[in-house]
Amino acid sequence: MIKEEEEEGSAQQAEEQQQQLRRRYEELCGALNMDERARAEAWESYARISQTYTLEGNALHWLACALYVACRQSVPTVGKGTVEGNYVSLTRILTSTELSMIEFFNKMKKWEDMANLPSEFRERTKKLERNFTVTAVLFKKYDPIFQQIFKNAQEEQPRQHRSRKQRRQPCTVSEVFQFCWVLFINAKGNFPMISDDLVNSYHLLLCALDLVYGNALLCPNRRELLNPNFQGLPEDFCSKDFKPPSEPPCIIETLCCLHQGLLLEVKGIKEHFWKPYIHKLFDKKVLKGKSDLLTGFLDPGNFADSLKAITKAYEVFVLSVGHLDERVFLDDAEEEIGSVGRCLNPGPGAEPSAERAQVSYHLQQHFDRMKSLRISTPLTSLPYMKESSSHQTPVSSATYSVSRLFAILSGHKAAPSEKLQETLSACSRNPTQTISNCLKKMFDVFSEHTMSGGGDSQQCKDIAKKYFRLAETLYYKVVESVVEREKKRLGDVDLSNILEQEIFHKSLIACCLEIIIFSYKPPGTFPQIIVMFDLAPYHFYKVIELVIKAEDGLCREVIKHLNQIEEQILESMAWTHDSPLWEKVRDNDGKVPLCEEVMHPHHFEGAVGSSITGSSAPLTSRRVNEIKADAAGLGKTSSPTLFDRYSSPIAGTARRRLFIDSDSPSEEGSPAQASPHSTAESTPSPVPGQTLVTMATATVTANNGQTLTIPVQGIANENGGITFFPVQVSMSGQARGVSSSIQPLTAQALAGPMTTQQMQVAGQVTIPQVQASPGQQNVSSKLKKVGSLALFCRRVYHLASVRLRDLCHKLDISDELRKKIWTCFEFSLVHCSDLMKDRHLDQLLMCAVYVMAKVTKEDTSFHNIMRCYRTQPHATSHVSTEP
C-alpha cells in the first residue's frame, strides 16, 4: 500500500513538473512571437524524444534545439510558394533560454542524432557553426588592426546630448568601429561560398578596413578618427597644409605586410567580390555618398542614415537565413574597443545573472581555444611533430598554408608537363584520355556542389574554378613525381595497369582538392569531399601517403590534417558494412591478417633495432626525410610500391613461412626449407590469456634407456599445464616435412611411454642453430602477407598499438597486462572481424582493456577507461555512446 502511494506521488510530481515546463515553454514562445505551427511541432518533437532518451540538464535548452529545428522548416506563404524559416531570430531563442552558443552547438549535435534529422539539415548546422567560429577568429584580428589605423576610443571626449537640430554630428571612433564591423559581416553573409572560408573572409575584412580608412581620410573630422602613427597615412598628414586626395588611397599592400595578408589574393577579392557588392549597396541607397568613388558615407550628413540602413539590412539577413547575430561581438564596444562581447546581450540596463556569467565564461573558453580551426597533432605523430606555437593564430596559420601552396605550384600549370606527357605516351595503353575525362567529370560535380550552397551563381562558379584549377595543378605535379619515383625503384616498367585505373586518379584528385580547400578554410570539408565524388574511404586512404611523399613543400598543418584523415579512415570509416575492405577480407579466407604477417619483425616490442619509424608510422615532414634515407640504403624494399597499394596478394603467398633459410624457393615435391619454427598453419595461434613459450627443451628417456633432448614450442593452457609442439630440424638446420597426422606432444605424453611414431619423430630431431647468418636475417624480414589488405592492416595495427600504449600508460597498466590486452584485441580483430563493422577501433581497444582487467582482477573501471580515452587528441564523444 505504501509502495503504491509512493508511486502515485512520484507520478503526480512528474506531471506537475511537466505542466510547469509547458507553462514556461508557452511563455517563451509568447515572448518570441512564435507561430502556432513551429510551437506545436517543437513541443511534440521534445515530448517524443524525451520518452526515448534521458535529456540531462535544463529542459528549456533542449526545447531551444527543438524550436530551432521547427523554425528552419519550410513555411508556406500567401501567393509566393514557400520560404525557408519563419523569421524567428536564433539569437533571441538562445537569449531567452539563457543558452550559450557553444552549448547550443553541442546540444544540437546530440539532438540531430536523437531526432534522426536529414544530412542536409546537419550540414547547415555545421556550416552555421563554422561561419560563427570564423567570425569569432576574425573579430580577434579586427580589433588590433582597427586600433592601429584609428585612434583609441577611450581617449574620445564624451559626446554631449544631441538635439534634433544637431542630429548630424560627425561620427566617432566607436561608431566607425561598429559601422565597419557590420558592413563586413553583412558582406560576408552575402557570399555563402566563402563565409566559412577563413582566408578569403579575412581578406574581405581587410577590404572593409581599406574602404573605411579611405572614407575616413576624406571626411571633415579625419584628425579625430585616424591614428597619426599609422604607417599607411600620407607623409604630410600631420602638417597644417595637408589636403586630402581626390580619390581614396589603397592601403591593401600595407595591411598585408603588417598582418599576414596575401596581396594578390586580397586584390582578387576586392575586384571580384568586394567592390561589386559595395556598388550594389550604393545603388540600393543603403550607403549614401558618391557611388562612383564609393566615398562619402562617413560624412556628417550621410553617416547616421548609412549606419541605420546597413544595420537593418543585416537584421533582415539574419532572420531570413537563421544565422546567429554576429553583432554580439560589439557588446560594450562603444565603451571600450577591444572588449570582445563574450555573451549574448541581456538587454539594456539588465544586471547579468549567475547563469549569464556562466554563459560568458563558456563562450570565452570557446573563443580562446578555437579548436575547430586548429589542427591538433595526432597521437601517432607526436614523436615527429610538436603542437603549433601558441603565438600562431588560426589566421596566420591559414594564410601561411596558402602561401606555401602558391610556392609549391609556382611555375606549374593545370596540365601535364612535357616530361609527363612523354611518360604517359610511353605506356602500352596511354591513360591521357582517361585522366582528362576523369578531371572533367569531377570538375562538373564540384561546381554543381559549390553552387548548391547558395549565393551568386557566377561567383560560386568562379570560386569552384579557382579551387579546382589549383587542385589540378597540384595533381599533375604529384602524378609526375609518383611516376618518376616508381621508375627509379622498379626500373623501366609499364605502369598502364595502375594509371588507367579511374579510382586511382579520382582519389588523387580528391586528395589534392581537399588540400586546397583545407588551406583556405580549415578544418577542411572531409569527409564531404569523398561523399561528393562517391569515393570509398578504403580507396581514398591509399593516396594520402603518396601525396605526402611526393610533395616536400606541404606545410605542417596540411600534413597533420592528412594524418588525421588517414586515422579517421583506419579507425572507423573503412570498416563500414559496405566498405570494399570486406571483399579483401573474404579473399583472405574471411580473416584479417595477423600482426606478425603484415609487420616487419623489427617493429615488434623487444626486437633488435625496433622503433616506430617503420613504414607504418605516419607521414610527416621528418618522417618523409627518414623514408628517403631508408630508401637510399634499402632499395626497393623501403616502402610500398603502387602495385602493392592497388593489388591483391599473389596466389600462394598467403602460406609463406615466417623464417626462410634460403632465397631460392624449394623445388616442387621436395620438403619446404623452413626454420625450426613451423608454418602459420601448423602452429596454432595463442588465445587470450595464454602465454607463449617461444623455445624450450624436453629430455625424453625411451624404453631402451636412451635419452633424447627435443627442442619444442609450447603454450600454457588454461588447466595449468603446457601443450608442446615438436620442432623438426635436420643436422644442417634445415627442417623436414612433418606429416599432418602427427599429433602434438603434450607434457603428459612426454612423461609417459613413447609410441613408435613419437620415437621416429624424436630420432629425427636435433638442436637448432642459435645464430643465423646475415643472409638468413635478411630473408627473415620478408612479410607473409603482401598487397593492399596487408598494407592497410599494417597501418591499423600500428595505430592501435600507439593508442593502446598511451591508454595503458594513463591507466597505469603494467607491461605484462598490456601484452595480454593486445593479444585479446588482435584475436578479436582477426577471428571476430565482424565486430568492427560500423564500429570504431577505439571501442574494440577499450573493451579489450576492460575485459582483460576484469579477468586479471585489476582495479580498472570502465568509467576510468573512458576518462583517460577522452584525454587523447583523437577522442570523440560518440565513441562512448554507440552500441
Side-chain angles (χ1 to χ4, degrees), residues 426-558:
C427 293
S428 60
R429 295 180 298 277
N430 192 335
T432 303
Q433 191 59 43
T434 301
I435 295 174
S436 179
N437 294 339
C438 184
L439 284 166
K440 185 179 183 306
K441 287 191 291 185
M442 293 183 72
F443 173 71
D444 293 339
V445 171
F446 183 65
S447 297
E448 183 180 353
H449 177 83
T450 304
M451 287 187 286
S452 66
D456 185 89
S457 59
Q458 185 57 45
Q459 291 172 343
C460 290
K461 193 170 184 178
D462 291 342
I463 288 290
K465 188 175 181 180
K466 173 184 176 180
Y467 285 173
F468 200 87
R469 187 182 69 252
L470 292 172
E472 191 174 356
T473 306
L474 180 60
Y475 159 77
Y476 278 118
K477 189 173 185 293
V478 170
V479 167
E480 183 173 350
S481 177
V482 168
V483 170
E484 286 180 2
R485 284 180 53 254
E486 289 297 302
K487 286 188 173 295
K488 284 181 181 179
R489 297 172 62 192
L490 303 177
D492 190 16
V493 297
D494 183 13
L495 297 176
S496 298
N497 289 335
I498 300 298
L499 295 180
E500 67 182 0
Q501 291 189 28
E502 187 181 33
I503 192 67
F504 166 69
H505 296 291
K506 283 183 67 175
S507 302
L508 194 55
I509 295 165
C511 187
C512 292
L513 189 56
E514 176 65 21
I515 291 174
I516 303 300
I517 295 174
F518 168 80
S519 300
Y520 277 93
K521 46 196 301 187
T525 59
F526 189 83
Q528 187 178 346
I529 195 76
I530 60 175
V531 174
M532 183 191 315
F533 296 120
D534 194 24
L535 275 171
Y538 177 73
H539 294 315
F540 182 79
Y541 113 93
K542 297 177 186 179
V543 301
I544 294 176
E545 185 176 354
L546 289 175
V547 173
I548 298 177
K549 283 183 180 180
E551 191 45 68
D552 297 335
L554 296 176
C555 69
R556 54 180 288 143
E557 295 301 309
V558 170

Side-chain angles (χ1 to χ4, degrees), residues 181-282:
W181 180 252
V182 175
L183 183 64
F184 160 68
I185 58 178
N186 216 328
K188 177 174 171 288
N190 190 66
F191 305 120
M193 78 292 296
I194 64 171
S195 59
D196 60 342
D197 183 326
L198 183 59
V199 174
N200 283 328
S201 294
Y202 175 57
H203 292 159
L204 202 67
L205 176 62
L206 296 183
C207 291
L209 287 162
D210 170 64
L211 177 69
V212 174
Y213 162 81
N215 275 263
L217 189 66
L218 300 182
C219 73
N221 62 324
R222 67 185 70 88
R223 297 186 187 278
E224 286 74 30
L225 297 177
L226 295 172
N227 182 359
N229 299 320
F230 175 54
Q231 299 180 18
L233 286 173
E235 294 181 0
D236 58 342
F237 176 78
C238 296
S239 67
K240 295 181 180 180
D241 300 329
F242 172 75
K243 292 183 179 180
S246 57
E247 296 183 1
C250 177
I251 58 168
I252 292 293
E253 187 170 355
T254 302
L255 293 177
C256 288
C257 292
L258 295 175
H259 302 286
Q260 297 110 7
L262 303 176
L263 183 59
L264 292 179
E265 289 286 287
V266 182
K267 287 184 175 180
I269 290 291
K270 182 177 180 179
E271 289 299 321
H272 299 292
F273 290 89
W274 179 254
K275 289 177 72 174
Y277 171 72
I278 299 300
H279 275 295
K280 287 182 180 178
L281 293 182
F282 273 96

Side-chain angles (χ1 to χ4, degrees), residues 665-671:
S666 58
E667 297 179 2
E668 186 177 355
S670 64

Side-chain angles (χ1 to χ4, degrees), residues 265-497:
E265 289 286 287
V266 182
K267 287 184 175 180
I269 290 291
K270 182 177 180 179
E271 289 299 321
H272 299 292
F273 290 89
W274 179 254
K275 289 177 72 174
Y277 171 72
I278 299 300
H279 275 295
K280 287 182 180 178
L281 293 182
F282 273 96
D283 294 340
K284 295 178 180 178
K285 306 300 181 183
V286 175
L287 296 180
K288 290 187 175 182
K290 300 177 181 178
S291 59
D292 54 341
L293 298 176
L294 306 180
T295 58
F297 52 75
L298 292 186
D299 292 347
N302 299 326
F303 178 74
D305 293 336
S306 297
L307 177 59
K308 182 179 179 180
I310 195 68
T311 301
K312 183 178 180 181
Y314 180 70
E315 290 172 350
V316 171
F317 162 75
V318 169
L319 291 174
S320 62
V321 301
H323 274 207
L324 286 161
D325 193 334
E326 294 170 344
R327 293 176 299 169
V328 64
F329 300 105
L330 295 173
D331 288 350
D332 302 327
E334 293 186 4
E335 297 178 11
E336 179 184 358
I337 292 179
S339 62
V340 181
R342 300 298 190 185
C343 64
L344 299 173
N345 189 359
E351 290 293 330
S353 62
E355 292 186 16
R356 179 63 58 182
Q358 188 71 11
V359 169
S360 176
Y361 171 76
H362 286 309
L363 283 175
Q364 179 157 357
Q365 284 200 326
H366 174 61
F367 294 142
D368 287 343
R369 289 193 303 264
M370 289 305 163
K371 285 189 175 179
S372 57
L373 296 181
R374 288 184 182 273
I375 304 300
S376 59
T377 304
L379 199 60
T380 53
S381 300
L382 286 178
Y384 310 97
M385 190 180 295
K386 295 180 180 179
E387 289 287 354
S388 303
S389 170
S390 58
H391 301 291
Q392 190 179 35
T393 66
V395 173
S396 62
S397 176
T399 53
Y400 177 71
S401 297
V402 175
S403 64
R404 283 286 293 268
L405 196 61
F406 288 162
I408 291 172
L409 302 180
S410 177
H412 297 270
K413 55 184 179 179
S417 64
E418 293 183 3
K419 186 175 181 180
L420 181 58
Q421 286 179 347
E422 293 176 0
T423 303
L424 297 178
S425 300
C427 293
S428 60
R429 295 180 298 277
N430 192 335
T432 303
Q433 191 59 43
T434 301
I435 295 174
S436 179
N437 294 339
C438 184
L439 284 166
K440 185 179 183 306
K441 287 191 291 185
M442 293 183 72
F443 173 71
D444 293 339
V445 171
F446 183 65
S447 297
E448 183 180 353
H449 177 83
T450 304
M451 287 187 286
S452 66
D456 185 89
S457 59
Q458 185 57 45
Q459 291 172 343
C460 290
K461 193 170 184 178
D462 291 342
I463 288 290
K465 188 175 181 180
K466 173 184 176 180
Y467 285 173
F468 200 87
R469 187 182 69 252
L470 292 172
E472 191 174 356
T473 306
L474 180 60
Y475 159 77
Y476 278 118
K477 189 173 185 293
V478 170
V479 167
E480 183 173 350
S481 177
V482 168
V483 170
E484 286 180 2
R485 284 180 53 254
E486 289 297 302
K487 286 188 173 295
K488 284 181 181 179
R489 297 172 62 192
L490 303 177
D492 190 16
V493 297
D494 183 13
L495 297 176
S496 298
N497 289 335

Side-chain angles (χ1 to χ4, degrees), residues 552-793:
D552 297 335
L554 296 176
C555 69
R556 54 180 288 143
E557 295 301 309
V558 170
I559 293 175
K560 285 199 296 185
H561 177 58
L562 293 177
N563 281 341
Q564 279 191 342
I565 290 176
E566 183 183 72
E567 290 196 4
Q568 288 178 51
I569 294 173
L570 295 175
E571 69 191 12
S572 60
M573 296 182 68
W575 298 95
T576 56
H577 66 279
D578 56 349
S579 173
L581 170 65
W582 298 109
E583 297 178 10
K584 300 294 183 182
V585 172
R586 282 193 293 270
D587 293 341
N588 190 54
D589 298 330
K591 290 185 178 181
V592 171
L594 291 165
C595 183
E596 67 173 17
E597 293 177 323
V598 298
M599 300 291 286
H600 289 283
H602 67 272
H603 290 159
F604 293 110
E605 186 174 332
V608 178
S610 64
S611 68
I612 62 172
T613 59
S615 60
S616 59
L619 270 295
T620 61
S621 299
R622 176 177 158 190
R623 173 76 188 108
V624 170
N625 293 333
E626 290 173 355
I627 287 176
K628 290 180 178 178
D630 292 343
L634 299 179
K636 298 178 182 180
T637 62
S638 60
S639 58
T641 65
L642 272 177
F643 289 102
D644 294 330
R645 298 176 195 280
Y646 288 89
S647 65
S648 299
I650 302 173
T653 59
R655 298 192 176 187
R656 291 173 58 189
R657 311 220 185 272
L658 182 60
F659 296 106
I660 307 297
D661 293 335
S662 174
D663 286 331
S664 60
S666 58
E667 297 179 2
E668 186 177 355
S670 64
Q673 296 181 349
S675 75
H677 298 281
S678 184
T679 63
E681 284 72 22
S682 62
T683 302
S685 301
V687 297
Q690 290 183 331
T691 303
L692 176 64
V693 181
T694 56
M695 184 62 69
T697 59
T699 302
V700 181
T701 303
N703 294 333
N704 59 4
Q706 293 181 341
T707 59
L708 293 173
T709 302
I710 307 172
V712 293
Q713 284 182 312
I715 292 179
N717 57 42
E718 59 186 4
N719 297 323
I722 300 177
T723 302
F724 288 97
F725 305 95
V727 180
Q728 274 195 302
V729 188
S730 68
M731 292 298 293
S732 62
Q734 294 177 339
R736 297 182 180 179
V738 180
S739 173
S740 60
S741 62
I742 298 178
Q743 299 297 318
L745 294 177
T746 63
Q748 292 78 8
L750 289 173
M754 299 183 67
T755 64
T756 305
Q757 187 183 36
Q758 290 171 339
M759 286 290 294
Q760 292 173 350
V761 173
Q764 298 172 357
V765 177
T766 59
I767 299 176
Q769 297 286 336
V770 176
Q771 297 292 334
S773 65
Q776 291 171 333
Q777 292 176 350
N778 288 338
V779 175
S780 68
S781 65
K782 292 183 179 179
L783 298 173
K784 284 183 172 184
K785 299 285 185 180
V786 294
S788 60
L789 177 62
L791 291 173
F792 174 81
C793 292

Side-chain angles (χ1 to χ4, degrees), residues 58-131:
N58 192 334
L60 274 181
H61 292 175
W62 294 109
L63 280 166
C65 297
L67 275 173
Y68 174 71
V69 175
C71 289
R72 297 317 306 158
Q73 303 299 325
S74 297
V75 178
T77 60
V78 179
K80 294 185 178 179
T82 59
V83 63
E84 184 180 325
N86 61 354
Y87 293 96
V88 174
S89 170
L90 172 59
T91 303
R92 287 190 61 205
I93 294 176
L94 301 185
T95 304
S96 302
T97 56
E98 295 188 334
L99 177 62
S100 73
M101 282 166 280
I102 180 62
E103 289 176 317
F104 167 72
F105 288 124
N106 288 336
K107 277 186 162 49
M108 269 306 302
K109 292 171 185 175
K110 298 175 182 178
W111 186 265
E112 288 168 347
D113 291 335
M114 293 185 293
N116 195 25
L117 296 180
S119 58
E120 294 80 6
F121 189 92
R122 295 169 187 254
E123 187 58 36
R124 286 206 302 267
T125 306
K126 288 181 182 178
K127 188 176 179 64
L128 175 66
E129 184 178 10
R130 287 198 305 268
N131 286 344

